[in-house]
Amino acid sequence: MCDIEGNRFTAAVIIGHDDSIWAQWSAFPQFKPSEISAIMMDFEEPGSLAPTGLLVAGTKYMVIQGEAGAVIRGKVFCSSSSYLTTNMMIFGIYKEPLMPGQCHMVVERLMDCLIEQGL
């Protein structure tokens, strides 16, 4: 993905709304179908993940600030950012020294680029 001041995501994935993998770093953990369903539900009903947390391959992330129906952000030892578009979800996972704002910027730019391409 993008190099920001010598730092990179540790993993990233783009998933279609039908759960198909469009692109994935080999280091990205394997999603469980129930996790994708729960994430999609939170985009439809913002706040539904707050009580249980955001799960990615069994790793639980505390849900933090996001944008209802468009962005879910989670935090654990490493952090993640996920974005929803009309056709896909984009996830980026990072560790310090990469900062949350840098992660969000990269994922948002990727999302904008894909939308401009008609995806």
Side-chain angles (χ1 to χ4, degrees), residues 6-48:
N7 301 304
R8 297 177 178 263
F9 285 156
T10 57
V13 67
I14 303 172
I15 301 174
H17 285 205
D18 62 356
D19 300 341
S20 62
I21 304 294
W22 290 14
Q24 178 176 350
W25 284 13
S26 60
F28 199 90
Q30 184 65 42
F31 270 108
K32 297 175 185 166
S34 60
E35 295 170 339
I36 295 174
S37 297
I39 292 165
M40 290 300 296
M41 176 66 75
D42 194 77
F43 282 117
E44 294 169 17
E45 297 177 23
S48 65

